[in-house]
Amino acid sequence: MFGLSLLVLLVAGVGWGYLKLTGSIDTFSADGVSGDRPPDTSEGQNVLVIGSDSRSGANSGLGGGTGDVGRSDTAFLLHVYADHKHAVAVSIPRDTLVDIPACKKPDGGWTAPQHNAIFNGAFSVGETAEGNPACTQNTVEHLTGLRVDHTIVVDFAGFSALTSAVGGVPVCLPQDIYQRDLNPKRATRGSLVFGKGPQSVSGQRALDYVRIRHGIGDGSDIGRIKRQQAFVGSLVKKVKSRGLNPTTLLPLANAATDAMTVDPGLGSADRLLSFAMSMKNVDLHNTKFVTIPWRYQGARVAIVEPDAGALWASLKADRTLDGQNAAGKRAGGGSAASGGASASPTAPVSGAGIDVAVYNGTTVTGLAAQAAELLRSHGFTVTGTATANAQDRTGTLVTYGPGLRDKAETTARLFPGASTTESADAGIQVIVGSVYAANPSAAPATPTPDAVPSAVADDARSADDDPCSDLSYG
């Protein structure tokens, strides 16, 4: 599911000119799309791609779960720039805390808006097997301020069929994976499922690969998203390497149409073909994958502002991740070299009036002192540095006493992916982990004109990257 829709938009359109598609294309009703939508001011196009993990119908033997209610397993917003040569896909973790606006239920009634709800709850509104893509679209538009031009839903069965149709997708694994890694409730490790190293996966094995959370990387859903992003790029590369001709594309086109549910604007072969053909010149190297700026909030994912707002503003202005628009000039009329005026600069992190103690949660010598220097450079007062009680921490943790939540969240912005939690101890403590040790950087003290936050740009992955180039997430 994670790569099929991108394949349709970036690859299959080239070959569909040779093909006559006669299969039916499922559509969802537009009646549930909110009447209160963002204006259509973006120069590019925005496509919402939703992976559904419903266990009903043909999906019943693939998902490894129970229940007939459609759920959103993964989602990303694909922005295709006005030049139709660049694109960026922004993943939204399923446990992200968002506001879900009023959504239409199957009985015709509308729900009350939900505050601080998990993102994938939008797709389950109404508890139907096909899910509620209109509600997810409403939520994304409310979150981003961007109008969604098209929405596509892809299911387990479609994903499995597509990976088989391409003859398998190259992947890499940093270590052996066993049955318990797929099902942590198992009492024993079980048999080997995937061996360490490069290999090709398809069908059920491809689905197992992209759904692994435990026993690989940091075990988080964020790590799995990175692996899914890499998989999409590898999938598209595999299709292009086989050549774009009727023989290779017919099975892919058939798999795509069988697997997708789309909005009415794409509800015919002619419309889908026309839209796909408009994407045929998007280059793999210029197709980037990022994750919405985030941090942990307990077991959930919180959106980091103003970083996320800067990202949405860049997409609305059709600026690429480096602050340039797709034509190589800055928005506002200035060239990249001359540094045109910023339309939405990223606010710097200011630690004025915030006292912080720093602890090294790793075995890397001097890491606490390094983090302390970073904090001081942003105006924080560092009350001391020390070694933490345990030196096996992965992510950075910011703990805070009563009444210090806002200051703790400001502190966490300097450490990408940091989580915050309330403590009985007074004051604010930063415990840095191995993630910070591997990349001891943060947003610049002063904003970069017309650019998205550096943490977002640095995290971007190109569709043509080698799947074995980063084994930290498999």
Side-chain angles (χ1 to χ4, degrees):
M1 75 193 69
F2 314 101
L4 190 150
S5 295
L6 269 181
L7 177 68
V8 170
L9 298 178
L10 305 182
V11 179
V14 178
W16 281 6
Y18 300 113
L19 309 175
K20 180 176 178 59
L21 298 181
T22 58
S24 62
I25 300 174
D26 293 333
T27 61
F28 63 86
S29 173
D31 292 346
V33 175
S34 173
D36 181 20
R37 304 184 65 189
D40 187 12
T41 57
S42 176
E43 295 182 51
Q45 295 191 79
N46 301 304
V47 184
L48 175 61
V49 180
I50 306 169
S52 168
D53 72 349
S54 169
R55 271 64 170 181
S56 63
N59 300 295
S60 59
L62 296 171
T66 59
D68 292 331
V69 176
R71 294 179 296 178
S72 170
D73 183 76
T74 190
F76 57 82
L77 183 65
L78 176 70
H79 178 78
V80 181
Y81 291 87
D83 70 348
H84 294 289
K85 295 180 180 179
H86 295 72
V88 60
V90 184
S91 294
I92 305 174
R94 60 184 186 179
D95 288 339
T96 303
L97 296 173
V98 298
D99 292 336
I100 299 177
C103 290
K104 190 175 183 179
K105 298 184 293 185
D107 63 6
W110 289 73
T111 62
Q114 302 177 54
H115 175 65
N116 222 30
I118 58 173
F119 174 70
N120 72 340
F123 194 75
S124 299
V125 168
E127 299 188 337
T128 62
E130 62 270 19
N132 196 329
C135 185
T136 301
Q137 178 176 314
N138 294 343
T139 302
V140 170
E141 290 191 337
H142 181 78
L143 169 66
T144 66
L146 295 163
R147 179 176 284 246
V148 174
D149 297 291
H150 294 293
T151 294
I152 299 173
V153 183
V154 187
D155 61 20
F156 278 159
F159 174 81
S160 177
L162 177 73
T163 58
S164 295
V166 301
V169 179
V171 300
C172 272
L173 283 151
Q175 62 201 57
D176 292 340
I177 298 297
Y178 295 86
Q179 287 179 309
R180 188 164 58 188
D181 297 320
L182 298 178
N183 179 13
K185 295 182 180 180
R186 281 184 59 98
T188 62
R189 184 176 72 171
S191 58
L192 182 71
V193 179
F194 297 103
K196 176 181 178 180
Q199 57 204 278
S200 179
V201 295
S202 63
Q204 178 69 58
R205 283 177 57 78
L207 187 59
D208 288 342
Y209 171 80
V210 295
R211 289 180 56 81
I212 298 170
R213 283 186 62 177
H214 304 278
I216 188 172
D218 63 3
S220 70
D221 189 49
I222 301 297
R224 182 170 67 169
I225 285 173
K226 288 180 177 292
R227 189 165 62 255
Q228 292 169 356
Q229 291 171 344
F231 188 91
V232 171
S234 189
L235 171 62
V236 178
K237 283 179 66 177
K238 175 63 181 292
V239 174
K240 284 200 168 186
S241 72
R242 298 171 76 227
L244 304 179
N245 57 69
T247 301
T248 60
L249 287 171
L250 181 57
L252 303 181
N254 287 335
T257 52
D258 288 343
M260 294 191 302
T261 300
V262 299
D263 65 86
L266 295 177
S268 71
D270 287 343
R271 290 174 182 173
L272 199 57
L273 170 60
S274 176
F275 185 62
M277 288 294 285
S278 73
M279 309 297 168
K280 67 188 177 88
N281 292 323
V282 176
D283 186 78
L284 285 179
H285 181 71
N286 293 327
T287 302
K288 308 294 185 182
F289 299 93
V290 299
T291 303
I292 186 174
W294 64 278
R295 61 173 176 76
Y296 284 117
Q297 184 168 308
R300 303 302 186 191
V301 173
I303 297 172
V304 173
E305 296 290 2
D307 295 8
L311 174 59
W312 308 135
S314 291
L315 298 186
K316 189 176 296 184
D318 215 42
R319 291 194 302 269
T320 51
L321 298 183
D322 59 2
Q324 299 181 10
N325 67 21
K329 294 185 178 180
R330 292 197 182 278
S335 68
S338 62
S342 174
S344 179
T346 304
V349 177
S350 173
I354 302 178
D355 296 341
V356 181
V358 185
Y359 297 87
N360 187 352
T362 76
T363 58
V364 179
T365 303
L367 196 62
Q370 191 172 5
E373 184 60 31
L374 171 66
L375 288 159
R376 291 190 186 99
S377 72
H378 287 261
F380 290 81
T381 298
V382 177
T383 59
T385 61
T387 301
N389 291 333
Q391 285 78 56
D392 58 355
R393 172 160 293 280
T394 300
T396 296
L397 175 67
V398 180
T399 66
Y400 59 92
L404 295 175
R405 176 176 175 177
D406 289 346
K407 291 184 177 181
E409 291 182 350
T410 298
T411 306
R413 285 178 54 202
L414 282 183
F415 303 91
S419 59
T420 61
T421 186
E422 188 168 5
S423 169
D425 298 330
I428 297 175
Q429 294 81 37
V430 175
I431 308 171
V432 290
S434 58
V435 170
Y436 175 73
N439 185 25
S441 62
T446 56
T448 302
D450 291 330
V452 299
S454 60
V456 176
D458 292 344
D459 186 55
R461 179 183 181 93
S462 295
D464 64 346
D465 284 353
D466 185 344
C468 296
S469 63
D470 185 354
L471 292 180
S472 63
Y473 51 82

